[in-house]
Amino acid sequence: MNILDRYHAMDYGPAPEARNEADAWLAARDFSKALFIDGTWKAASGGKSFETSEPSSGKLLAKVSDARATDIDAAVAAAAKALPKWSASSGYVRAKVLYAIGRAMQRHQRLFAVLETIDNGKPIRESRDIDVPLAIRHFIHHAGWAQALDRDFPGHKGVGVVGQIIPWNFPLLMLAWKIAPALAAGCTVVLKPAEFTPLTSILFAEICERAGVPKGVVNIVQGGPEAGAAIVNHPGVQKIAFTGSSEVGKIIRKATAGSGKKLSLELGGKSAFIVFEDADLDSAVEGLVDGIWFNQGQVCCAGSRLLVQEGIADALIAKVKTRMSRLRVGSPLDKNTDIGPLVDLTQLDRVKGLVAEGARQGAVCWQPDAALPSSGHYHLPTLATSVSPANILAQEEVFGPVLATMTFRNTEEAIELANNTRYGLAASVWSENVNLALHVAPQLKAGVVWVNGTNMFDAACGFGGYRESGFGREGGREGMFEYLTAKLPLGPVIKPATISAPPVEQADGSAIDRTAKLFIGGKQIRPDGNYSLAVATAKGKLAGEVGLGSRKDIRDAVSAARACKGWPDATAYNRSQVLYYLAENLSGRADEFSARLVQLTGVTAKAAREEVDQSIERLFLYAGLADKFEGRVHQPPARAVTLALHEPVGVVGIVAPDTSPLLGLISLVAPALAMGNTVVAVPSEKYPLLATDLYQVIEYSDVPAGAINIVTGRTAELAGVLAKHDDVDGLWVFADAETCAKAEADSIGNLKRVWSGNGRGLDWASDEAAGDAFLRRAVEVKNVWVPYGD
């Protein structure tokens, strides 16, 4: 055999990673005392345990303490006890602790990597080169945030005791994403890892001991659903941070409704991988390998839907099949392995079932001709073609090494297909034309968009989704806000509205009767049910009647808001001019609105005029901020920039309070409009004539039809309709506690972002009831990664 023959015959030989250090660590641990509570290792109070096994072989690794509700009580009590001292410590003190954690992890990073691979099944290359270094990066990055907190987040403080629940696909990295910002903010933590993958969290708790983390600041409890539910429902927890399935996220949203707990959810995805005809196909194929077969496809942002332009579809699919045939499936500890086992037999069975159902629905499923290891939970990489948009493989999150492929003809169709999902976590756009890529990226309903790349992450750049992929962000400046709270100027407790007998006094006949209708799609229209609601003056006399809005009226208003493209597509400068004009026209009728406030609420003429003037000033404020509350450009340690774009949430439902009925309504509507949202507003149930008087001001202020829609009626009823409407993207509710809680619980249909006063009003005249705190709730932050260089 000559040299050339030897070259062609070469194949990858085994290159196993040594596991002796990890096995020694496992042998030396008492996993019956695996709960880390108040700086002490404890056994579960019930004495129960669960097993964690090696996915590549099924071999038992450990029997781990299984926490019960009493253990969660102890962990929350420890976190609450540690909170005052930790939150009061200087940013420098907290920064030193975070830095020490990061450095200690660096000293043990190979042990972390091997344990992660043994416990999870992901290839050692991924654990060693991606997961562990990025986890370390998060702690060191957030050490800087801890020290800069007062400078960069004035008026904010840590939210308190935080309950955190993480999944099994990135056990250590998700832990870092959760714990690092919480500690930087001055919060204390109770974290529950997934049952499948507890090992690296136990090693991390040991690191906390060595790094000088004060007792009770970090508590890590192993356990199953009972432990998770106990964290979610515990009254001593002020925030829940959850990463996992959308189904469980909805359960948590409903369970926390009305509790006042801050909530962030990072959930499932069905991310589009869009390849245009001018893309570098070889690069796209390599990106696709990372996009869908990274971690065996067990990635929430996996590029599991390949959308390819028709003209290059055959060529790209041929390249994909060739590349798939060269993927190496095998032991995750082998440095040459591309695809390891799935985490558990239940996950393997689920993936097989979804592939079989996709084939039954018409997909053609292709797999390379490769042998699987004789033991372990392995699944071959799978390519599904002839996939219809309704096929289960195009709609459901498989969470396995399965790629569904569809074609498109033009840019508009690509965007439509990409957005044809209830999820909205991530997307990839491949094109050599950066103008095209940056034209498409803002139109994709996804929280993260990678241009000519995929699965790029950094601690400085936010990550999170839209729609049923959840709300809130992990990492970056926006991720810090998730663990901070600003003191809003609370007003009195809002009492539930009571239906009183309508005033019966007849009008004196000196003026022409005025009919106050609903305002939908730029028109004044009668309510669908043709019922009206009598409105009383402060003296109990009849002030007038307004339309009694119904479910159908809300549907019409939402449709009008969704159809209004002129407002969200307008430039921020144009929106600012319209809001200025709205303020200008309201000022021209200030006397009229002041008189109406006196008539309805009984306040003095001076107080009424102050409220009108403050309403005009607030419109002026948001007009000025419309083109100034902008995104950022991040510079991660990679050859890329990340554009953190501010985008409107979409259609925002607003339920306004009775207190300060004009100022309260404008203080909520104006920031939503300033950021490009369209609005369906339910004004004060008690004083709705102030809102109906606004119709004419809106009509001659150049506001596009459908940008503002106003439906008068019963607050509780209409809030419930808005909460259940799946075409409403956000909901702000300032009503009684029961109405707020029900709105939060009813929002789970599409996991819309809900902001409620939890039964309390605000001091709407205060400076704190305006500005950035409101604008942040009016935007989604989309991070667009743009690489550069060769």
Side-chain angles (χ1 to χ4, degrees), residues 72-104:
I72 302 305
D73 289 341
V76 173
K81 181 180 177 182
L83 180 65
K85 186 175 181 180
W86 179 250
S87 61
S89 62
S90 70
Y92 175 51
V93 168
R94 295 199 300 274
K96 287 193 295 183
V97 171
L98 284 159
Y99 181 77
I101 292 173
R103 284 300 191 216

Side-chain angles (χ1 to χ4, degrees), residues 493-497 715-716 733-741 758-760:
V493 172
I494 299 175
K495 296 179 180 179
T715 293
V733 184
F734 283 84
D736 62 277
E738 182 180 352
T739 299
C740 291
N758 294 306
R760 296 288 296 272

